[in-house]
Amino acid sequence: MNVTPRLRSAFPTTPGTGQKSREQNASTTGSWSPRTPLPNVVSSRSDTIESAIPLSVIDAPSQRLYVFFFYLGLTVWRLADYLSLVSDETDSLWLFMKWVAIDSVFLYGLPGLKVPWLQWSSSTITLLFIGHAMLNAALMFRISIPLESWLLAVTKLFYDRELAIAEKHVKPASILQNSSLILGKQIIHILPEGSAMLNPHQVPLCIGGPGNTVNLPIRVNQTSPILIELLRIDLATNLNETISMTGKALKRLKKQAEKSLAKNDHSSPRFLEFPVKESGLYRLQKVVDESKLEVQRRLSDTLVVQCPSASVKSVPQHKCKGDLSDFYFEVLATPPFKIKYSKTVNKEDNGHVLLSIHPDNLFSPLARQNTSGVLVSSDPASVDVSWARAQSVKVPVNESLGTSGNWQYLIDEVQDACGNVVNYSNAHSQDLASQKPKRGNQLEKVFIVHERPNVAIDGYSSQHSLKVQKGKSRRLPIRISSIGADQPETTSHTISYLFTPQNDLLPDQEHSKDAIVKKIDIHGNHHGFEVSEPGLYTLNSISNEYCAGEILEPSACLLQNPPQPDLQLTTESIPDRCAGNSIGLFVDLDLIGTPPIRISYNVHREGQIITPQVVTCDRLQKQLELRPAHAGHYLYEFSEISDAIYKDPRSLASKKLLLEQDVKPSASARFLQARPLKMACIDQPVFFDIEISGDGPWTLEYELVHNGQRRKAEAKDIQEDLYVLRTEKLTSGGEYSLMLKSVTDKSGCKVLLDQMAKIEVGLQKPKVSFGQLEGKRSISALEGKTVNLPLRLQGEPPWIVTYVNLDEREKKSPIKLTRSFTHDNDQLEIQNAGTYEIVNVQDSSCPGSVDLLANQFVVRWIARPTISIIENSLVQKVDGRYFKQGICEGDEDATQIAFGGTAPYTVEYNQKLKPDQGSISKRAQKITAGNSVASFKMASAEPGLYEYEFFKLGDSSYSQDSSAHTLLTVQQRVHSRPSARFLHVGKTYKYCKEEETGDEVIPITFTGVPPFYLEIDIRHHATSKPEVVNIPHIDQKNYDFHLPHRVLGFGTHAVTIRKVRDSRGCQKKMDVDAPQIQVSVADIPSISPLEAQTDFCVGDRISYTLSGSPPFKVFYTFQGLERKASIPTTTFRRIAEKPGEFKITGISDQRSTDDCRARVEIIKTVHEMPSVRISKGRIVTVDIHEGGEAEILFEFGGTPPFEFTYTRSTNPPKGKKSEILETKNEVSYEYVKTIRTSDEGIYEVVSIKDMFCAFSTQKAQGKGGQKLLTYL
């Protein structure tokens, strides 16, 4: 046959043997028909890669066998090292590293041999290496692996059995979870009872008109009626009638009611909607079901009334401000009712108003109670329901309209006494949408409230008359005003006024009795009316289309016709005081007219007009001085005149007002500037341009006035008409006056002058000084930060300040720096520390001075933080390093650090550890300190040399900067703690008490520096307090401990090393689970119960402790049978699977051939578990009627008294979980108990207990959900 085909995942064919098989198959299949040749397939990796050792020399299976033998040899060697391993930790580490190296060479070198089937992937080899490393660590460091515990835990998952008292294996779960202890269940159903009720939710009902209907709801529950009778009492006539529903009509109503319910829902109540078209009081009178029995009904009345409605009665639309609204709502509804309306003024909502209306002499039950229940007596013949009739009531609304604009009153809703609501504000009323009237004039009332007009004369009054040219008219301006929406510009007004001619006015300028009343209409923006006749005009009244207005002051005006303007001239010559020649004219103007009066005249020189002139007179008399500046013949012609009333100029040509004169002017001088004013600096002269006229040369006299002092000066021999006057240096600040006093011409004629110029000199020179920061001219700042120094500048901006840093003198001459400033309290930015001094200052125009008392400002840098170690007897500094006294491994220690700078401080350091064995480690740490002294915790988790290198420091001013301080180093040695252990850990030293001839010797080995101090705990298994043995001085590392007689007693003792301390003061406390040895002291084997109780329940575990030399044999009787149990350990434990008496009769151990034997009598009683059955242990369903009772029978097993807990829960539909309604506890002193109940539900017991034991079906707590009970 051919070679068996292999899957792609199978091992590859062994090289060499596969070829041989193919040759053999080829020789035996020559008679077979040839097959179609297979396509060429790439061979597997093992077939293509050649082995390091040719297969022709050693075939593949032999190579794999040799590798296996080599690995087996390594394993034997590894186990030999483990068995010969001593307790020295150095040897353990060396052996571990040795085998890790051997395994790595073997595993990673194996693929290099290219042995078939042993060419694993790198990931597989890595996993194998990790597994071998873990095995090496467990062996070489003697790490205990709890294989037995793991095996037992895994075994319990598949085979959970325990030995019972009958010496057979039982399953504890079958005993602890015995469901047959609580059996039975009783289900109680309460049969439904039918009922009927009219309008159960008391929904208000109303009818809006003859064609409208409303559905009257009738609720029927757990019944199917065949007859329903309704009693109706008419509201208008008080007559009653009976309405019956039977047959098809009733079936139709039931069919419609079932449409809103689920198909299989037969328990929910049905609501029959019976349509009614007439109003009245309805009462459910009779309901008969299919069994022809009358159904229980609840007596209640339902009112069907006319739907409420409301409207607004029409009133005038336009109102005036201050009028009353004066309208009313007409409401038709069943009283007492409520109406709600809203008010809007100028599109602003003013809220809602709710009015409750109760007509007089109305006595209605609806006003005293709700509509639920009985409203009338049970005798329909004597019923009066007139109080339920709809009544029409007018509701007046009368309030003051205090704001002009649009007022809107809108009915929002109306509600009658039954609760029927018609909502007019909601387009989709939830109550009566189909019956809701639409908004319109019936539901709303809109007022346009107009502002009352006010009128007054604008700009004139009886005290300020209106003057008009004679024969012409003028508009008397009036001011019409109002507040609100009305626009006076577009509103027509009717105004009436009184007029009395000027000649008919009374002496007190009041109207005469013959005063004329006139009316005018003013439209649009023409605020005024034309008047022409002189007299007194007084406004009488004003009104517009809607409202009468009010006359405000001023309301009267006097119209006058003043005379036309006129002029008369009177002249006087102006002589020269020196030569007596005329130099001009004084012209007196006598005027008639209304000022201001304008007079035009022309000036002619040598027959030519020089320029037209106009003079304005505010009074009726004025003197005009005509004094030409140049010599010649002058002619003055007055041509026109006009005043405030006659504004058109009137010609004076007919009066021929002409003046002539020959003028030879005297010397004069004046400033060229129209308003001469100069700004100057202190100690600087001022220059003025002076124009001089007359015959030169001239001599000019002037005065300089300042602070009441006058200094006279003169300028002689002035040849030019334009002269530049230079004053002396002005040494004081303030205002100067330069006055030209006189000028003298060539002829010696001196003319006094009236020319003055102002000079404003700064009150003081520009000044500069340094301001203060926090009351001083010095500051401490962070090094390298920009500092702003305050300046105080006086003068006109901008200022140019020159300053120097005086501290630069130590290096070289200080450099003067210049800065420009624009504010009085500007700041100077500097970047370097030092003493800064201001040298010079100049403002926009003048040089200034420096305040020598405040010309310097000192800038210092805040010192950077520093760090140091506080030295004491434990800390010494040697060669720049700090050395701290050594401590023990795990001890707490700290070193105090002193800081310099500004708190808080932040320091970073590296913690380096050079352990006694292993590589150096390094960790970065950080400390934050709030004071100048802090402490940092020294590490001591591992023994070795610790070095703390501080490399970064910062405080509240400076952030951490590694280059800003000197490095600081602290070193400390942490000593390893000593150890002590038993040489034979886990060994049990056993002997009988009678055979003691000397002390037991236990070898102990130490690590550390002798001498050692040792504490040993000796704990007996039956006691909780150990005996402590102290050994104060041990000079060697190997010590034989002699166990004292006084601490030994009968039984097993656990000997544990508690504490060890060496000569360096380092001590080590052993863990609670530290390795220990056992010392068994027995005179004869003994057995002691672990529990003091004598009564147990089925399922409890009964345990004993055995003393002696295992294995033991325990003899006992149970249920009358003698039994024997072999116990390999010191604990005898059995589970009680049945009730009975369990008595221990004897015990022996492996020394039974000697005198170590015991005969005992220990009796324990196992009680059966209590049980309970409901309804003989069956599930029973009991149906009762409402108010009936059912009996529940409980039967018990066990030892009375019995205390049990049962629950009542819901009977859920299929697929849903039941819910517990109540839980009750009961006690029975008999074996049978009966309980009567009338509540529906499922009754079942959840827990039961008797005198000794308890059982619960709920979640177990404690031991298997049951426990032993004791009744006191």
Side-chain angles (χ1 to χ4, degrees):
M1 294 179 63
N2 291 336
V3 177
T4 302
R6 295 177 177 269
L7 298 175
R8 296 181 62 184
S9 60
F11 285 106
T13 305
T14 303
T17 59
Q19 180 66 27
K20 181 177 179 181
S21 299
R22 286 193 295 272
E23 291 175 357
Q24 292 176 355
N25 291 335
S27 64
T28 58
T29 58
S31 61
W32 289 15
S33 60
R35 297 184 178 181
T36 304
L38 296 173
N40 295 329
V41 181
V42 179
S43 61
S44 63
R45 185 175 63 179
S46 60
D47 294 336
T48 57
I49 300 176
E50 293 293 336
S51 176
I53 301 175
L55 299 178
S56 59
V57 178
I58 302 176
D59 59 2
S62 299
Q63 290 187 21
R64 289 194 289 270
L65 183 61
Y66 295 153
V67 171
F68 172 73
F69 284 145
F70 182 76
Y71 180 75
L72 186 61
L74 291 178
T75 302
V76 173
W77 186 15
R78 192 193 321 268
L79 293 176
D81 283 349
Y82 168 69
L83 295 176
S84 62
L85 181 66
V86 295
S87 62
D88 188 70
E89 294 182 359
T90 305
D91 293 342
S92 298
L93 179 62
W94 183 88
L95 289 175
F96 169 73
M97 297 176 64
K98 162 188 162 183
W99 280 106
V100 167
I102 293 174
D103 288 337
S104 62
V105 172
F106 173 75
L107 293 174
Y108 286 101
L110 183 59
L113 299 178
K114 300 179 182 179
V115 178
W117 295 5
L118 298 181
Q119 301 180 48
W120 300 312
S121 64
S122 58
S123 59
T124 302
I125 294 175
T126 301
L127 289 176
L128 290 173
F129 174 73
I130 294 173
H132 281 72
M134 294 174 64
L135 178 62
N136 293 332
L139 293 176
M140 302 309 158
F141 292 108
R142 302 180 64 87
I143 299 175
S144 60
I145 302 176
L147 295 177
E148 183 179 355
S149 301
W150 294 351
L151 184 60
L152 289 175
V154 173
T155 304
K156 273 203 169 186
L157 293 176
F158 304 98
Y159 186 78
D160 186 11
R161 295 290 189 272
E162 289 188 27
L163 270 175
I165 298 177
E167 291 301 315
K168 63 179 180 180
H169 287 85
V170 297
K171 192 173 183 179
S174 62
I175 302 174
L176 299 175
Q177 301 172 6
N178 188 358
S179 59
S180 64
L181 296 176
I182 298 178
L183 295 176
K185 183 188 300 184
Q186 184 159 321
I187 303 172
I188 298 177
H189 284 296
I190 296 178
L191 298 177
E193 184 174 352
S195 63
M197 185 177 180
L198 177 64
N199 195 10
H201 301 304
Q202 294 299 316
V203 178
L205 303 172
C206 68
I207 296 176
N212 293 338
T213 62
V214 65
N215 291 328
L216 189 61
I218 304 172
R219 184 182 69 187
V220 293
N221 187 21
Q222 303 297 331
T223 185
S224 179
I226 60 174
L227 172 65
I228 297 178
E229 289 185 357
L230 292 175
L231 175 66
R232 172 184 171 271
I233 301 175
D234 190 84
L235 301 180
T237 62
N238 289 331
L239 299 178
N240 62 78
E241 65 172 333
T242 301
I243 303 173
S244 299
M245 290 177 282
T246 59
K248 293 183 179 179
L250 196 54
K251 289 182 180 180
R252 184 172 62 256
L253 294 179
K254 291 191 288 184
K255 187 175 181 180
Q256 291 176 353
E258 291 177 352
K259 288 182 180 180
S260 60
L261 301 175
K263 267 186 180 181
N264 299 325
D265 189 358
H266 302 293
S267 60
S268 298
R270 269 67 172 166
F271 287 87
L272 307 181
E273 302 287 343
F274 176 64
V276 295
K277 296 183 178 180
E278 295 179 305
S279 60
L281 187 144
Y282 289 83
R283 177 181 292 175
L284 189 62
Q285 185 167 285
K286 188 177 182 180
V287 179
V288 180
D289 63 3
E290 293 177 341
S291 61
K292 297 183 180 181
L293 296 177
E294 190 170 346
V295 177
Q296 180 183 0
R297 71 195 189 304
R298 180 181 175 185
L299 191 61
S300 64
D301 295 336
T302 297
L303 275 175
V304 179
V305 298
Q306 182 178 350
C307 291
S309 62
S311 62
V312 181
K313 291 305 177 182
S314 176
V315 293
Q317 183 179 7
H318 294 279
K319 298 277 186 178
C320 295
K321 182 178 178 182
D323 291 348
L324 298 178
S325 57
D326 193 20
F327 73 99
Y328 63 89
F329 299 121
E330 186 170 2
V331 182
L332 180 62
T334 300
F337 56 82
K338 298 178 182 178
I339 182 171
K340 181 181 179 182
Y341 68 92
S342 59
K343 180 174 66 175
T344 303
V345 179
N346 294 329
K347 297 182 180 180
E348 292 186 3
D349 189 4
N350 281 21
H352 300 271
V353 179
L354 180 64
L355 301 177
S356 297
I357 309 300
H358 192 291
D360 297 336
N361 301 323
L362 174 68
F363 299 96
S364 172
L366 299 177
R368 299 190 305 270
Q369 61 182 19
N370 297 328
T371 56
S372 60
V374 179
L375 296 175
V376 296
S377 63
S378 58
D379 184 9
S382 62
V383 170
D384 181 12
V385 293
S386 60
W387 47 267
R389 299 170 190 166
Q391 298 183 22
S392 179
V393 180
K394 294 182 179 179
V395 181
V397 179
N398 221 359
E399 60 179 318
S400 177
L401 306 176
T403 303
S404 62
N406 293 326
W407 287 58
Q408 181 185 36
Y409 291 87
L410 192 63
I411 300 176
D412 292 328
E413 69 179 30
V414 60
Q415 177 180 347
D416 63 8
C418 299
N420 296 295
V421 178
V422 175
N423 192 333
Y424 298 111
S425 62
N426 189 357
H428 304 284
S429 176
Q430 299 179 357
D431 301 303
L432 300 166
S434 62
Q435 303 172 15
K436 179 179 69 66
K438 295 183 179 179
R439 285 186 183 272
N441 293 332
Q442 293 182 349
L443 300 178
E444 65 179 355
K445 183 59 189 173
V446 177
F447 292 122
I448 300 177
V449 179
H450 301 275
E451 191 77 27
R452 295 182 183 274
N454 299 324
V455 65
I457 296 177
D458 189 11
Y460 299 95
S461 65
S462 58
Q463 304 298 325
H464 301 84
S465 61
L466 176 63
K467 297 179 179 181
V468 182
Q469 297 182 22
K470 186 181 296 185
K472 292 187 177 181
S473 64
R474 185 171 176 180
R475 181 179 296 277
L476 178 62
I478 60 175
R479 180 176 67 254
I480 300 175
S481 62
S482 62
I483 302 173
D486 296 333
Q487 299 295 330
E489 293 80 5
T490 60
T491 304
S492 297
H493 296 85
T494 299
I495 298 176
S496 67
Y497 63 91
L498 297 176
F499 171 70
T500 299
Q502 186 173 3
N503 296 330
D504 297 338
L505 290 175
L506 298 178
D508 56 357
Q509 298 297 306
E510 292 294 335
H511 289 282
S512 66
K513 62 180 180 178
D514 298 328
I516 304 171
V517 178
K518 296 184 179 181
K519 288 187 179 182
I520 57 172
D521 293 330
I522 297 179
H523 302 279
N525 56 0
H526 301 287
H527 292 173
F529 53 90
E530 296 291 331
V531 292
S532 60
E533 187 176 356
L536 181 62
Y537 294 83
T538 303
L539 298 177
N540 191 33
S541 66
I542 182 172
S543 63
N544 56 22
E545 183 181 357
Y546 308 106
C547 305
E550 183 180 357
I551 304 300
L552 303 179
E553 294 297 333
S555 61
C557 180
L558 181 64
L559 187 144
Q560 295 177 335
N561 295 136
Q564 293 183 350
D566 200 0
L567 170 66
Q568 291 184 357
L569 302 178
T570 304
T571 63
E572 180 182 353
S573 178
I574 303 175
D576 186 0
R577 289 178 299 173
C578 297
N581 298 325
S582 176
I583 59 174
L585 290 174
F586 287 115
V587 181
D588 293 331
L589 304 178
D590 296 325
L591 302 171
I592 298 175
T594 303
I597 301 174
R598 293 170 53 85
I599 303 170
S600 301
Y601 66 94
N602 296 321
V603 180
H604 300 263
R605 179 185 178 188
E606 305 296 340
Q608 296 181 354
I609 297 178
I610 300 176
T611 178
Q613 299 289 334
V614 176
V615 60
T616 301
C617 302
D618 296 330
R619 295 173 295 174
L620 296 180
Q621 186 177 9
K622 184 177 178 65
Q623 185 179 66
L624 187 64
E625 182 179 358
L626 302 177
R627 183 178 293 187
H630 302 282
H633 180 75
Y634 289 86
L635 174 67
Y636 302 95
E637 180 183 7
F638 293 86
S639 57
E640 294 177 341
I641 187 172
S642 63
D643 63 2
I645 304 302
Y646 299 90
K647 297 183 180 298
D648 296 333
R650 174 171 165 266
S651 176
L652 299 175
S654 60
K655 300 188 72 171
K656 296 183 179 180
L657 299 176
L658 299 176
L659 300 175
E660 293 186 44
Q661 73 172 145
D662 290 324
V663 177
K664 184 180 281 188
S666 59
S668 66
R670 68 182 183 89
F671 293 102
L672 281 182
Q673 292 89 345
R675 299 181 62 185
L677 176 65
K678 290 282 188 176
M679 305 299 294
C681 302
I682 294 180
D683 296 332
Q684 298 292 328
V686 183
F687 299 89
F688 286 94
D689 294 333
I690 308 296
E691 182 185 25
I692 304 176
S693 61
D695 293 334
W698 300 275
T699 299
L700 181 64
E701 294 182 357
Y702 60 91
E703 285 184 351
L704 191 62
V705 181
H706 175 62
N707 289 336
Q709 298 181 358
R710 295 175 178 268
R711 290 193 293 273
K712 296 182 178 181
E714 66 177 7
K716 297 181 180 181
D717 197 18
I718 301 174
Q719 301 293 332
E720 301 295 335
D721 294 345
L722 185 61
Y723 174 68
V724 179
L725 177 62
R726 180 181 184 276
T727 67
E728 61 185 18
K729 290 184 179 181
L730 308 179
T731 58
S732 300
E735 182 181 275
Y736 288 77
S737 296
L738 178 63
M739 295 183 294
L740 303 181
K741 301 299 292 181
S742 66
V743 60
T744 304
D745 60 5
K746 178 179 180 182
S747 62
C749 182
K750 185 176 182 179
V751 179
L752 299 179
L753 301 177
D754 186 14
Q755 294 285 321
M756 185 176 67
K758 295 289 185 179
I759 303 173
E760 291 289 343
V761 180
L763 296 178
Q764 59 183 4
K765 288 185 178 181
K767 194 173 183 180
V768 64
S769 65
F770 279 117
Q772 295 182 346
L773 290 177
E774 298 180 356
K776 55 185 179 180
R777 292 183 180 88
S778 63
I779 187 175
S780 296
L782 298 181
E783 185 176 352
K785 299 294 183 179
T786 300
V787 180
N788 294 322
L789 304 183
L791 293 178
R792 301 295 178 260
L793 297 164
Q794 298 178 5
E796 296 295 327
W799 294 270
I800 298 176
V801 177
T802 303
Y803 64 96
V804 296
N805 186 353
L806 299 179
D807 290 356
E808 294 181 356
R809 294 175 178 175
E810 300 176 358
K811 303 178 182 178
K812 54 184 178 180
S813 60
I815 300 175
K816 292 185 178 181
L817 302 175
T818 301
R819 296 274 181 91
S820 177
F821 302 95
T822 58
H823 301 291
D824 296 343
N825 299 288
D826 221 322
Q827 293 180 336
L828 173 63
E829 292 185 359
I830 58 100
Q831 286 81 27
N832 298 319
T835 300
Y836 288 85
E837 181 179 293
I838 300 175
V839 177
N840 192 13
V841 65
Q842 181 173 350
D843 67 357
S844 60
S845 57
C846 304
S849 62
V850 179
D851 187 354
L852 298 181
L853 299 178
N855 66 334
Q856 291 186 353
F857 206 106
V858 180
V859 179
R860 300 184 181 89
W861 294 139
I862 296 175
R864 290 188 174 273
T866 60
I867 183 174
S868 62
I869 302 296
I870 299 177
E871 298 185 32
N872 52 37
S873 60
L874 301 178
V875 181
Q876 300 295 331
K877 186 175 182 181
V878 179
D879 297 333
R881 291 193 174 193
Y882 293 92
F883 293 90
K884 186 73 180 289
Q885 182 176 331
I887 59 174
C888 299
E889 178 185 357
D891 285 353
E892 296 288 337
D893 193 14
T895 299
Q896 286 191 325
I897 308 174
F899 293 98
T902 307
Y905 307 93
T906 302
V907 62
E908 293 186 17
Y909 63 93
N910 287 327
Q911 175 185 306
K912 296 180 181 179
L913 169 61
K914 184 178 181 182
D916 297 336
Q917 295 180 359
S919 58
I920 298 175
S921 62
K922 182 178 181 181
R923 291 177 57 191
Q925 302 285 349
K926 186 176 182 180
I927 297 176
T928 301
N931 297 320
S932 58
V933 177
S935 61
F936 75 97
K937 185 178 179 181
M938 314 289 284
S940 61
E942 298 181 36
L945 180 62
Y946 285 85
E947 183 176 271
Y948 305 89
E949 182 181 8
F950 296 85
F951 62 94
K952 282 188 178 181
L953 177 63
D955 61 0
S956 61
S957 301
Y958 292 93
S959 59
Q960 295 181 2
D961 185 3
S962 58
S963 62
H965 66 91
T966 306
L967 293 177
L968 186 67
T969 304
V970 181
Q971 286 187 352
Q972 185 181 41
R973 168 69 66 177
V974 176
H975 304 291
S976 61
R977 293 187 179 275
S979 66
R981 64 183 182 87
F982 296 108
L983 190 59
H984 304 293
V985 177
K987 181 179 178 181
T988 301
Y989 298 86
K990 296 179 282 186
Y991 59 95
C992 292
K993 189 67 174 177
E994 290 84 355
E995 296 177 352
E996 288 185 5
T997 57
D999 294 341
E1000 284 290 337
V1001 176
I1002 301 174
I1004 301 175
T1005 181
F1006 296 89
T1007 61
V1009 180
F1012 301 97
Y1013 168 82
L1014 185 65
E1015 282 188 11
I1016 294 179
D1017 278 357
I1018 303 175
R1019 185 188 304 269
H1020 193 279
H1021 282 184
T1023 60
S1024 60
K1025 184 177 180 181
E1027 293 285 344
V1028 179
V1029 178
N1030 296 321
I1031 307 174
H1033 194 85
I1034 302 174
D1035 293 329
Q1036 52 189 2
K1037 293 187 177 181
N1038 294 315
Y1039 175 70
D1040 290 334
F1041 173 55
H1042 295 271
L1043 196 62
H1045 293 170
R1046 59 180 176 82
V1047 298
L1048 296 178
F1050 292 110
T1052 303
H1053 302 73
V1055 182
T1056 308
I1057 296 175
R1058 181 178 182 180
K1059 184 192 300 183
V1060 62
R1061 185 171 64 242
D1062 64 359
S1063 61
R1064 294 178 296 195
C1066 298
Q1067 71 176 16
K1068 182 177 182 181
K1069 291 184 178 181
M1070 302 302 176
D1071 297 332
V1072 177
D1073 56 349
Q1076 62 183 9
I1077 62 170
Q1078 301 290 331
V1079 175
S1080 178
V1081 179
D1083 188 6
I1084 56 175
S1086 62
I1087 182 170
S1088 301
L1090 292 180
E1091 300 91 356
Q1093 65 194 60
T1094 59
D1095 293 298
F1096 290 85
C1097 300
V1098 172
D1100 287 349
R1101 293 169 176 83
I1102 306 175
S1103 302
Y1104 300 87
T1105 180
L1106 309 177
S1107 63
S1109 300
F1112 300 91
K1113 290 181 182 180
V1114 178
F1115 302 89
Y1116 63 93
T1117 60
F1118 182 67
Q1119 292 183 335
L1121 298 177
E1122 293 185 357
R1123 304 177 187 275
K1124 180 178 67 173
S1126 297
I1127 311 301
T1129 64
T1130 58
T1131 301
F1132 174 49
R1133 181 182 183 186
R1134 291 293 184 267
I1135 187 171
E1137 84 280 15
K1138 294 179 181 180
E1141 184 183 75
F1142 179 45
K1143 182 170 67 174
I1144 304 293
T1145 59
I1147 180 175
S1148 64
D1149 61 0
Q1150 68 175 356
R1151 299 182 180 180
S1152 296
T1153 55
D1154 301 327
D1155 295 331
C1156 296
R1157 292 178 180 270
R1159 293 187 180 273
V1160 296
E1161 184 176 348
I1162 304 175
I1163 300 175
K1164 305 288 185 181
T1165 302
V1166 180
H1167 301 275
E1168 66 174 343
M1169 295 296 295
S1171 62
V1172 61
R1173 287 170 175 77
I1174 300 179
S1175 302
K1176 303 296 182 180
R1178 297 171 298 173
I1179 299 177
V1180 178
T1181 301
V1182 179
D1183 296 329
I1184 63 174
H1185 291 279
E1186 184 76 27
E1189 289 186 340
E1191 290 186 351
I1192 304 175
L1193 177 63
F1194 297 90
E1195 297 175 304
F1196 305 100
T1199 304
F1202 301 97
E1203 183 177 346
F1204 63 98
T1205 302
Y1206 68 94
T1207 61
R1208 180 174 70 88
S1209 56
T1210 59
N1211 190 6
K1214 187 177 180 180
K1216 292 189 177 180
K1217 189 177 180 181
S1218 176
E1219 296 182 2
I1220 296 176
L1221 300 176
E1222 61 177 335
T1223 302
K1224 291 186 177 180
N1225 297 321
E1226 296 288 344
V1227 177
S1228 175
Y1229 296 92
E1230 305 294 337
Y1231 287 93
V1232 177
K1233 186 178 181 66
T1234 302
I1235 297 176
R1236 302 181 65 85
T1237 182
S1238 59
D1239 296 327
E1240 185 180 40
I1242 302 175
Y1243 291 82
E1244 53 187 336
V1245 177
V1246 295
S1247 67
I1248 175 71
K1249 64 180 179 179
D1250 63 358
M1251 180 176 290
F1252 300 104
C1253 303
F1255 178 77
S1256 175
T1257 59
Q1258 296 176 344
K1259 183 176 180 181
Q1261 296 181 355
K1263 188 184 294 183
Q1266 61 189 24
K1267 63 180 181 178
L1268 180 68
L1269 301 177
T1270 301
Y1271 283 84
L1272 299 178

